[in-house]
Amino acid sequence: MLARICSVLLILTLSACGGGGGSSNPPPASGQVQPAPTPALSLQEAARVADLTTFGPTFAEINAISDMGTEAWLDEQFTKPLGFHEPIAARYINEYGYDLDGTPNPVFFRRFAFFEQAFTAPDPFRQLTAYALTQLFVVGEPTQIAINPLALTNYYDTLLTHSFGNFKDLLLAVTLHPVMGFYLSHVNNGKTDPIANTFPDENYAREVMQLFTIGLYELNDDGSRKTDSSTQPIPTYDNTTIREFSRVFTGLSYGSTNYSPNTFFGKENPAFNTPMIMFEAYHEPGAKTLLNDFVIPDGQTGMQDIEAAVDNLFHHPNVGPFVGKQLIQRLMTSNPSPEYVSRVSAAFNGDSTGIRGDMKAVLKAIITDPEAANAVRVREPFRRYLAINRSLDVTSSDGSTYPGIGVVAQNLTGQFVLAAPSVFNFYSPFYRPGGEAPGLIAPELQITTEDTIVGITNLMALTLYTERSINTPEGLATISVDLSALASIANDSEALLDRIELLFFAGNMGTYTRQTIHQALSDAGAIAALDRTRLALYLAVISPDQAVTGAE
């Protein structure tokens, strides 16, 4: 069996509605069976939507989207209750205490929370949107953040809270979040001190423009760069602008929380799960000149200055195309057309709703765009791992908790949520690989190396062929995939492959891949249904066309 799998793996690697009637219709005769209503979408179309709006579609979700249609599904998702992460981390602290030398180690509690909500939260599209936002508003886990289980869970919850709200509120919440304050050093950032010859830190002032809102160059609504009379790109800001913004982001320090109740400027014991607060005596006074010659007047409070700066950033015309294009890349396709970007920019600008920055309008524009049906994107290795678990009805031995550590997955894929190596994320949104498609952007390929290709292949085998699909601490619940539904149809190769195609290929498995797996099942002979299921799944999820969403 192993030899057969290896030979097939080598081959794969080398290859590369309707109207309703009026009241005049007579009622059905007694006992007459009425025809089932026509689905809004085919199962293949629904699988595509589910693939784009969850961490991995379940068959139940595909059926629901088929019945409802895309817009109705999105509207329902917008109203779902929030699946917060911090309460789960707090639950583990209450149950096991906080001991960095203990088992389970509290540094893993935020990971436990992420897996639990990735698999069981009532709001799967919101969870995915927040994940996409972690790759725009990037933070990592240096030691002081990593050892506090409430830090990154609260940060993720902040992204969740504003995922379907307004971008301006999201930007303000991120600006005031202590994890961001620590990561980009504007917590305890004091005003100019001429005697000590110290000046405000410029780190957040720079990155909030370059990475979070407007980028380096002025953009048209379609994402293309504007140019001057010499056909040179026009910078959005300069060093003077950075200095002026840095003067705004002064006077903030940690707030009060139950494990760090005292408040004063310069506080070194971080309170990571409550917004930073302003200390006026340490805020830089005076007028500040920001983008497009906007002037914050002298005499305002520190928080008024920050709110004015956020408003100045929010209303810059670059935000729609800059943020919109990156959300398209994270959720849909790496190479949206200029027309696609322009339509999403229009949604951000409030062309249809009259509300600038309405995230629901932006997300709906991204998912329902005409280009969505043919969008192509390399799947992130970490999301492929999440998908195989979620789509295979991942279960927990205690029926409720999912205390996944995820270290093995992180080592093999090079990724874990909120663990980027720098503020520039795991990969650049502008990364262009060489090869047969010069000029095309494929950010995820920046972390696609020999090591990660082998790593994700091994990770899929561990997920399918071992008792635990995600490693968990000893003594806590174990996590495993449930293959029973697929095993029940495993002796029907066509039915098995049809189901796998919906779950893992958005209904678009390549002909060569399908034929190869079909042949492998035939060659395997009379083996147990579970073994047939594992063989088919393994060859499917390591195939090249499964690694690229929308590939044919």
Side-chain angles (χ1 to χ4, degrees), residues 432-471:
R432 298 177 186 272
E436 297 180 1
L440 291 180
I441 291 171
E444 296 83 358
L445 285 182
Q446 195 169 4
I447 59 169
T448 301
T449 65
E450 292 179 355
D451 288 341
T452 58
I453 291 172
V454 173
I456 190 66
T457 302
N458 290 336
L459 188 60
M460 294 303 183
L462 290 171
T463 302
L464 293 169
Y465 284 94
T466 62
E467 293 183 358
R468 299 186 182 191
S469 62
I470 300 175
N471 54 316

Side-chain angles (χ1 to χ4, degrees), residues 383-422:
R383 280 188 59 185
R384 289 175 68 189
Y385 177 58
L386 291 175
I388 191 173
N389 278 277
R390 193 174 187 275
S391 295
L392 293 178
D393 299 319
V394 64
T395 60
S396 166
S397 61
D398 69 4
S400 60
T401 66
Y402 291 78
I405 297 174
V407 172
V408 173
Q410 185 173 0
N411 289 339
L412 293 177
T413 66
Q415 274 189 292
F416 196 86
V417 61
L418 295 172
S422 77

Side-chain angles (χ1 to χ4, degrees), residues 252-542:
L252 292 170
S253 191
Y254 297 110
S256 176
T257 190
N258 60 346
Y259 60 85
S260 182
N262 297 327
T263 58
F264 54 91
F265 190 81
K267 176 179 176 178
E268 295 183 356
N269 183 22
F272 277 134
N273 62 331
T274 191
M276 294 184 290
I277 59 177
M278 177 61 65
F279 292 84
E280 294 293 342
Y282 297 89
H283 178 70
E284 185 87 7
K288 292 99 175 169
T289 303
L290 306 182
L291 296 166
N292 297 327
D293 297 321
F294 171 76
V295 178
I296 293 179
D298 185 16
Q300 293 194 155
T301 66
M303 197 57 69
Q304 286 174 329
D305 279 5
I306 288 176
E307 290 173 352
V310 167
D311 190 69
N312 179 239
L313 288 164
F314 172 68
H315 281 96
H316 192 284
N318 266 30
V319 181
F322 183 81
V323 172
K325 184 174 182 178
Q326 291 200 57
L327 288 175
I328 294 171
Q329 288 181 312
R330 299 281 61 78
L331 296 170
M332 188 70 62
T333 178
S334 299
N335 294 276
S337 71
E339 294 78 16
Y340 190 177
V341 176
S342 186
R343 289 189 289 269
V344 173
S345 296
F348 184 94
N349 295 336
D351 285 10
S352 60
T353 64
I355 303 172
R356 181 175 176 82
D358 181 353
M359 290 292 289
K360 291 193 293 292
V362 171
L363 292 166
K364 184 172 282 191
I366 291 171
I367 302 299
T368 63
D369 192 86
E371 289 188 32
N374 300 308
V376 177
R377 187 188 75 251
V378 176
R379 299 180 192 270
E380 296 173 58
F382 182 66
R383 280 188 59 185
R384 289 175 68 189
Y385 177 58
L386 291 175
I388 191 173
N389 278 277
R390 193 174 187 275
S391 295
L392 293 178
D393 299 319
V394 64
T395 60
S396 166
S397 61
D398 69 4
S400 60
T401 66
Y402 291 78
I405 297 174
V407 172
V408 173
Q410 185 173 0
N411 289 339
L412 293 177
T413 66
Q415 274 189 292
F416 196 86
V417 61
L418 295 172
S422 77
V423 73
F424 295 98
N425 198 22
F426 298 101
Y427 36 70
S428 166
F430 313 110
Y431 178 73
R432 298 177 186 272
E436 297 180 1
L440 291 180
I441 291 171
E444 296 83 358
L445 285 182
Q446 195 169 4
I447 59 169
T448 301
T449 65
E450 292 179 355
D451 288 341
T452 58
I453 291 172
V454 173
I456 190 66
T457 302
N458 290 336
L459 188 60
M460 294 303 183
L462 290 171
T463 302
L464 293 169
Y465 284 94
T466 62
E467 293 183 358
R468 299 186 182 191
S469 62
I470 300 175
N471 54 316
T472 60
E474 291 299 323
L476 273 68
T478 57
I479 302 171
S480 59
V481 293
D482 182 358
L483 303 180
S484 58
L486 289 178
S488 69
I489 57 174
N491 289 325
D492 183 341
S493 296
E494 292 300 327
L496 177 61
L497 289 175
D498 285 346
R499 183 67 61 88
I500 290 173
E501 183 173 2
L502 284 175
L503 293 175
F504 296 103
F505 295 80
N508 196 31
M509 184 190 294
T511 301
Y512 178 81
T513 298
R514 188 180 182 101
Q515 290 174 345
T516 303
I517 300 172
H518 200 290
Q519 186 62 50
L521 291 172
S522 178
D523 292 345
I527 59 174
L530 183 59
D531 291 332
R532 288 178 62 83
T533 302
R534 285 172 168 155
L535 173 60
L537 279 169
Y538 180 62
L539 295 177
V541 297
I542 66 170

Side-chain angles (χ1 to χ4, degrees), residues 82-149:
L82 278 73
F84 287 121
H85 292 217
E86 185 181 358
I88 298 174
R91 186 186 76 209
Y92 280 102
I93 293 173
N94 291 335
E95 185 171 355
Y96 296 101
Y98 180 85
D99 181 2
L100 291 174
D101 296 319
T103 299
N105 193 307
V107 300
F108 296 133
F109 293 171
R110 73 100 173 175
R111 294 170 176 243
F112 298 174
F114 176 79
F115 282 121
E116 185 168 324
Q117 295 294 36
F119 299 146
T120 69
D123 55 342
F125 184 42
R126 192 196 316 265
Q127 298 292 325
L128 179 63
T129 302
Y131 178 89
L133 290 170
T134 68
Q135 299 196 25
L136 177 66
F137 298 106
V138 178
V139 297
E141 50 176 1
T143 301
Q144 275 195 277
I145 291 176
I147 64 175
N148 186 327

